[in-house]
Amino acid sequence: GDSVTQMEGPVTLSEEAFLTINCTYTATGYPSLFWYVQYPGEGLQLLLKATKADDKGSNKGFEATYRKETTSFHLEKGSVQVSDSAVYFCALWSNDMRFGAGTRLTVKP
Amino acid sequence: DADVTQTPRNRITKTGKRIMLECSQTKGHDRMYWYRQDPGLGLRLIYYSFDVKDINKGEISDGYSVSRQAQAKFSLSLESAIPNQTALYFCATSPRGHGVDTQYFGPGTRLTVL
């Protein structure tokens, strides 16, 4: 069945460091891909999305490119802030919705 | 006011009891979803509904049932709760469209089954 694999956390970075969270997927057909973020005690919020190959999703300085050839959708940010500390989930929709296990990011001042 | 609300926010119950979790939305979205979140497993889809007369099983529907009473309401039931159904449950909505667009999540219901 469809699945999403993302890098295990936790990830701890200093403020202004570069962030990469890897995400790869297995799916039939042509899935839509998403990154969601969950702040403590809250539900998930969409961070960015891409619906077809080579699309780049971007929001709040975060970016991810839909790479069909490598079945990947890695999340990047050039300079993280303390306020980016949260759990990040990669997800796909093909036949239904599948989420990765989540990666906890902590950014220290 | 929140666009997607869930009641109750916390619930502790005993094995074998019937439990209903409720979700309401004011976003006017046709599509609604129920997920459970477990540590280290991310979110897993239980059921989803693309309109009032449409119900679909997700990845882990066994032991659960749902009811879509109206466009704005989607309830999740555990007919006979068991301890491994202890989890954080989220409702979500999305607008109608090709594929699945952005989902908007409620604040979650923490369910503990003793």
Side-chain angles (χ1 to χ4, degrees):
Chain A
D2 298 345
S3 66
V4 176
T5 302
Q6 60 183 103
M7 65 184 283
E8 292 187 18
V11 174
T12 302
L13 296 173
S14 297
E15 207 164 22
E16 300 184 1
F18 185 85
L19 169 71
T20 300
I21 301 178
N22 290 337
C23 171
T24 58
Y25 67 89
T26 302
T28 56
Y30 302 94
S32 295
L33 302 176
F34 307 86
W35 277 100
Y36 280 85
V37 59
Q38 185 178 32
Y39 298 101
E42 298 183 9
L44 279 71
Q45 305 172 25
L46 180 72
L47 182 59
L48 52 84
K49 66 182 180 183
T51 57
K52 61 183 188 296
D54 300 324
D55 270 1
K56 177 185 283 188
S58 61
N59 185 28
K60 299 180 181 180
F62 291 89
E63 293 183 341
T65 301
Y66 189 144
R67 301 286 188 200
K68 190 172 187 300
E69 64 275 14
T70 55
T71 61
S72 65
F73 193 54
H74 304 320
L75 182 68
E76 297 182 336
K77 186 175 185 182
S79 177
V80 294
Q81 306 300 311
V82 172
S83 57
D84 294 327
S85 298
V87 181
Y88 292 81
F89 293 92
C90 185
L92 70 82
W93 174 276
S94 182
N95 299 302
D96 60 20
M97 196 74 176
R98 298 295 168 106
F99 281 82
T103 302
R104 182 176 299 278
L105 170 67
T106 300
V107 180
K108 297 189 172 181
Chain B
D1 287 341
D3 296 317
V4 183
T5 57
Q6 294 183 231
T7 56
R9 293 294 312 279
N10 288 282
R11 181 72 184 267
I12 299 174
T13 190
K14 295 183 178 179
T15 297
K17 293 291 187 181
R18 184 177 187 275
I19 295 297
M20 179 180 286
L21 308 183
E22 300 192 5
C23 177
S24 295
Q25 53 115 346
T26 58
K27 299 189 76 66
H29 289 166
D30 287 315
R31 301 178 172 186
M32 299 186 73
Y33 311 79
W34 273 106
Y35 294 91
R36 64 178 281 174
Q37 183 178 23
D38 299 277
L41 294 178
L43 275 73
R44 291 180 290 168
L45 183 63
I46 306 172
Y47 273 95
Y48 62 100
S49 168
F50 276 8
D51 65 39
V52 174
K53 296 180 179 178
D54 175 73
I55 300 290
N56 303 282
K57 292 182 178 180
E59 185 183 357
I60 54 159
S61 59
D62 287 349
Y64 302 94
S65 62
V66 290
S67 173
R68 184 81 185 267
Q69 302 97 319
Q71 187 204 37
K73 296 184 182 296
F74 193 37
S75 300
L76 176 71
S77 293
L78 288 67
E79 296 300 327
S80 180
I82 56 176
N84 77 359
Q85 291 177 313
T86 293
L88 188 54
Y89 289 84
F90 286 103
C91 175
T93 73
S94 69
R96 179 186 305 182
H98 178 69
V100 168
D101 206 325
T102 304
Q103 295 191 15
Y104 296 84
F105 284 79
T109 294
R110 186 167 298 279
L111 176 66
T112 302
V113 182
L114 301 177

